[in-house]
Amino acid sequence: MTAGLTARLDRISTDDRYLIVPMDHGLTMGAVDGLRDIEATIDGVTAGGADAVLTQKGIAPRVHPNKNGAGYIVHVNGSTTIGPDENDKRVTATAEEAIRAGADAVSVHINVGSTYEPKQIEDLAELAGEADQFGLPVLAMAYARGPGVEGDDPEALGHAVRFAEELGADVVKTGYSGDADSFEHVCESTRLPVVIAGGSKGTDRETIEMVSGAMNGGAAGVSMGRSIFQHNDPEAITRAVSAVVHEGRDAEDALQAAGLVQP
């Protein structure tokens, strides 16, 4: 691992733990709640303890003045909910373009088991090769998705995270298997830091209990979007997630510390 790669990984994490808030959903879904005034949302989540935020490259000018010293990740592929197939992710930026946008890392979405997997293998391999020339970390969002694939199956998730390591990623994001014991298998499938996706937006308690379960199963953190940026208090929910990820608090304590439940 080069000095540059290590330095950039440190910019998007704290003591090898990751709290990333992806906000690339404007490409996918449009200017949904939480993203219209993305400046205020970025300010809130980074004030609440997010290590890094993630957007498409065009949003970079709106990120840097508002991220309170946090890291910045540029996402380099995407699709839309109104297009022909949301799983067909197309390249939107190169590693070099991400660097010019001020990125500390790049991320790419891969659907392992989908009909688009062959092209996405090529995309991840190419990105990892290009990023390696610059010492730029690659976050692979490797989901188990496709015909006959259960997205929370620990075997499929384990395959997805190993897939990311085999192709040269530095950090891997995937779905949560539902409990700490089964998620241990996922984390044991790779030597990469594994972070979980937020999944469907649930209650505050459901969100924090999921984070706690994942951390107990060996996760290195979270990369959580809508559950944070669409919360009615993004800073508070980020503080609760941070309390679990960075301080090792249990779910109840984290919720209370963030003021999301009455003591």
Side-chain angles (χ1 to χ4, degrees):
M1 188 176 290
T2 65
L5 182 63
T6 300
R8 293 181 180 95
L9 284 169
D10 286 345
R11 293 176 200 162
I12 63 169
S13 64
T14 300
D15 297 328
D16 299 322
R17 292 289 181 262
Y18 297 81
L19 200 177
I20 299 166
V21 182
M23 288 179 272
D24 58 308
H25 302 64
L27 173 66
T28 309
M29 304 165 63
V32 295
D33 290 346
L35 298 185
R36 281 184 286 276
D37 184 1
I38 197 170
E39 292 88 346
T41 304
I42 291 168
D43 177 65
V45 301
T46 54
D51 295 303
V53 296
L54 179 156
T55 74
Q56 293 281 344
K57 64 184 179 184
I59 301 297
R62 303 176 68 178
V63 173
H64 293 295
N66 300 290
K67 63 185 180 66
N68 298 308
Y72 179 46
I73 303 171
V74 167
H75 197 57
V76 302
N77 68 348
S79 60
T80 73
T81 56
I82 60 175
D85 191 335
E86 189 180 348
N87 287 323
D88 185 9
K89 305 293 181 181
R90 298 299 177 103
V91 172
T92 57
T94 64
E96 188 171 354
E97 287 174 316
I99 291 169
R100 289 201 297 270
D104 301 303
V106 288
S107 69
V108 61
H109 183 128
I110 307 296
N111 291 318
V112 180
S114 77
T115 56
Y116 304 105
E117 179 193 286
K119 180 61 168 63
Q120 291 172 357
I121 287 175
E122 294 175 350
D123 292 341
L124 175 54
E126 183 175 350
L127 176 67
E130 183 188 3
D132 183 61
Q133 298 177 57
F134 301 109
L136 188 68
V138 175
L139 165 64
M141 299 185 180
Y143 295 94
R145 290 181 182 169
V149 178
E150 295 292 335
D152 60 354
D153 173 46
E155 291 295 330
L157 293 172
H159 192 165
V161 299
R162 185 52 177 260
F163 172 109
E165 181 180 8
E166 296 279 346
L167 291 177
D170 301 289
V171 183
V172 58
K173 169 182 177 177
T174 198
Y176 183 48
S177 57
D179 61 83
D181 289 341
S182 64
F183 203 66
E184 284 184 12
H185 169 76
V186 181
C187 295
E188 290 169 354
S189 299
T190 178
R191 291 189 178 180
L192 297 182
V194 178
V195 300
I196 64 159
S200 300
K201 190 174 183 294
T203 66
D204 294 345
R205 187 171 299 279
E206 287 169 342
T207 296
I208 301 306
E209 287 180 349
M210 178 180 67
V211 175
S212 182
M215 297 302 292
N216 290 338
V222 304
S223 176
M224 184 173 288
R226 284 170 288 177
S227 294
I228 290 180
F229 73 72
Q230 290 194 318
H231 195 275
N232 59 7
D233 190 341
E235 181 173 347
I237 193 66
T238 305
R239 288 193 188 282
V241 174
S242 181
V244 176
V245 171
H246 292 311
E247 300 173 31
R249 299 196 192 193
D250 63 27
E252 185 66 29
D253 191 20
L255 288 165
Q256 290 190 7
L260 293 174
V261 295
Q262 295 299 316

